[in-house]
Amino acid sequence: QELDVCDQEANEGGEVVVYKQVGPVLIKNDLDEARETVAKRLEFISGEIKKTELKITKKDEQSHQLAKSIQEMQSAMQKAAVEAAKA
């Protein structure tokens, strides 16, 4: 959004100065380079979000399978207890 504002100012004839922080110092940065950097960061963040969502989905599936397995074991144990009580 900030870069869009810079575009508007540049189109209106205003001078746009973009800075980037390198350590404790602010250095002038080209507007196109700043755009490129932001685009790369957004791409990286999107990729990390997708990876995390995939991991969450896999863990969710594993937990559902584990819950199903536990239910089956409990059912088998209850049946065995009923059989033992009859005998």
Side-chain angles (χ1 to χ4, degrees), residues 7-80:
D7 272 345
Q8 290 173 357
E9 289 181 19
N11 289 338
E12 294 171 0
E15 186 177 328
V16 178
V17 180
V18 179
Y19 295 94
K20 72 175 179 179
Q21 186 174 2
V22 178
V25 180
L26 290 176
I27 298 176
K28 283 188 179 181
N29 195 8
D30 183 42
L31 184 59
D32 292 330
E33 188 176 328
R35 272 186 214 296
E36 211 173 283
T37 302
V38 169
K40 287 179 184 178
R41 285 183 184 170
L42 290 174
E43 184 179 324
F44 174 77
I45 290 169
S46 296
E48 290 298 310
I49 289 172
K50 287 179 184 177
K51 285 182 195 176
T52 304
E53 287 175 344
L54 184 61
K55 285 181 182 179
I56 290 171
T57 303
K58 286 182 179 180
K59 291 293 181 184
D60 193 36
E61 289 173 4
Q62 288 176 351
S63 69
H64 285 300
Q65 289 175 353
L66 188 58
K68 185 178 177 182
S69 164
I70 290 171
Q71 280 182 330
E72 289 172 357
M73 286 182 196
Q74 286 177 340
S75 176
M77 290 177 73
Q78 287 175 350
K79 287 179 184 177

